Amino acid sequence: MPTAFRVAAAIIALCASTVLASAQSLPKEAPARTEIFPIPSLTLSDQQFLSGDAAAGKPVTVAGEFRVAQGSGKMPVVVLMHGSSGVGATTEAWVHEFNAMGISTFVIDGFTGRGLTVTGPNQALLGRLNLIIDIYHSLEILAKHPRVDPDRIVLMGFSRGGQAALYASLDRFNKLWNKSGVQFAAYIPFYPDCSTTYQTDTEVAARPIRIFHGTPDDYNPVKSCKAFVDRLKAAGRDVVLTEYPDSAHGFDSGLLGVNAVTVSANAQTVRNCHIREGDSGVLMNGDTNAPFTYKDTCLELNPHVGGNPATAAEARKAVVDFLQALFKLG
């Protein structure tokens, strides 16, 4: 063999062994591969969403980060939907947890492609239901991916994203907007807003719904979620609400060691509003019987946010145990 070929073969062998050694030494929470996906979506008002008026929507491209966990074949996936502050560090903590379990993750960024960074101080910047559109379009991508088990995709969301994760379970919304041909295996909303009553909202997918909330949450109070859960249970749905004391809105930031509660300055909260879906998909203020707006007197400002490491750890264990059983992980 000529010297040049021997040298080339040696270099290739060295590179291959280096890559293999690197893969073998990866921390278990590190993904084996990361892919960035453009997600074709729509920006819609709540009325357009509720009436199924896709033609009125403004086309937009949002983004998703897919981290393929270490392993082989078709993997289970958790889709994560952010809240009013966009994708943040707490999301990353959950991603590491799931990847370490052998679960891939798909993190949706529904803001950047729309020119948004936060909506807390002005929730009218984006329809309350718009993130559900992004979620369903993400499901279309994942359902066709060769490394995804389409029967083992779970949806998890936080605050505004928790609201989206909760109501993405509605049969009516799936029929209107989910064109993927598959359904989520479960729904895991963290501290969602449950202040809105939608038509036929107890008709949800025959999949588990697991809600995690804090007792003193004054951003999205747990009281309205308890009322919704009671209605779902009365309809025979598989739903569980886990409530944690001393846990403010965003309590799972305790996974990062956050152990303080602060005011979310000028953030809008509908904690004292009673919103219901009226005719033609118009959201109504249940107290005034007028169309709801973010200028209504029921709207308040400056709710509290903060972490609790102890209850964050409890919630993490509960989610891990649930997913291990659901996905049949060893």
Side-chain angles (χ1 to χ4, degrees):
M1 179 184 293
T3 302
F5 283 101
R6 288 200 301 269
V7 171
I11 291 173
I12 291 171
L14 176 63
C15 290
S17 63
T18 300
V19 170
L20 181 60
S22 175
Q24 289 175 337
S25 63
L26 279 175
K28 63 179 182 178
E29 70 271 12
R33 179 178 175 83
T34 300
E35 300 173 355
I36 306 298
F37 283 90
I39 305 169
S41 192
L42 294 170
T43 299
L44 294 162
S45 70
D46 291 324
Q47 184 176 7
Q48 290 163 347
F49 178 98
L50 291 167
S51 59
D53 190 1
K58 178 183 177 182
V60 66
T61 299
V62 297
E65 182 191 62
F66 183 39
R67 297 194 196 179
V68 183
Q70 297 174 49
S72 60
K74 293 180 178 290
M75 313 280 284
V77 180
V78 173
V79 176
L80 296 107
M81 189 74 250
H82 63 76
S84 296
S85 296
V87 180
T90 306
T91 303
E92 188 73 10
W94 283 108
V95 166
H96 284 194
E97 185 72 34
F98 297 144
N99 289 165
M101 296 172 63
I103 300 172
S104 300
T105 52
F106 192 90
V107 176
I108 302 171
D109 176 3
F111 279 3
T112 304
R114 293 185 171 97
L116 301 172
T117 53
V118 298
T119 58
N122 184 5
Q123 295 287 4
L125 290 172
L126 188 66
R128 297 168 64 80
L129 298 166
N130 223 130
L131 296 181
I132 299 178
I133 297 287
D134 302 345
I135 287 168
Y136 288 154
H137 281 290
S138 298
L139 193 57
E140 290 183 42
I141 293 170
L142 292 171
K144 300 172 184 176
H145 198 286
R147 295 300 312 280
V148 174
D149 181 347
D151 294 324
R152 293 193 296 167
I153 306 174
V154 161
L155 176 60
M156 183 177 189
F158 309 88
S159 192
R160 177 185 264 256
Q163 170 186 269
L166 177 59
Y167 294 110
S169 68
L170 267 61
D171 287 340
R172 172 180 160 218
F173 294 171
N174 273 279
K175 289 174 184 176
L176 278 174
W177 298 105
N178 181 4
K179 309 304 179 183
S180 68
V182 300
Q183 285 193 345
F184 288 105
Y187 301 84
I188 307 177
F190 266 63
Y191 35 87
D193 169 32
C194 305
S195 63
T196 305
T197 301
Y198 297 100
Q199 294 178 11
T200 66
D201 62 4
T202 59
E203 297 177 15
V204 296
R207 301 289 192 275
I209 300 172
R210 299 293 181 265
I211 305 171
F212 295 86
H213 222 308
T215 301
D217 192 322
D218 64 355
Y219 206 138
N220 294 333
V222 70
K223 180 180 178 181
S224 59
C225 288
K226 285 181 175 180
F228 184 38
V229 166
D230 286 346
R231 291 196 293 116
L232 288 171
K233 286 183 175 179
R237 311 309 177 193
D238 182 1
V239 57
V240 176
L241 169 63
T242 302
E243 183 180 349
Y244 296 101
D246 303 319
S247 298
H249 194 75
F251 70 89
D252 58 323
S253 63
L255 296 176
L256 304 171
V258 176
N259 193 19
V261 176
T262 61
V263 170
S264 182
N266 299 314
Q268 296 176 323
T269 167
V270 294
R271 62 191 175 206
N272 290 319
C273 299
H274 304 95
I275 307 168
R276 62 175 177 82
E277 181 185 353
D279 296 335
S280 303
V282 177
L283 291 182
M284 306 293 291
N285 184 321
D287 296 322
T288 65
N289 289 320
F292 170 79
T293 77
Y294 283 98
K295 296 181 180 179
D296 285 2
T297 56
C298 65
L299 197 78
E300 296 191 8
L301 303 177
N302 302 317
H304 294 81
V305 296
N308 183 320
T311 56
E314 290 181 38
R316 174 175 58 191
K317 184 180 186 304
V319 171
V320 165
D321 290 347
F322 172 71
L323 291 177
Q324 283 179 330
L326 182 74
F327 290 153
K328 297 180 171 58
L329 301 177

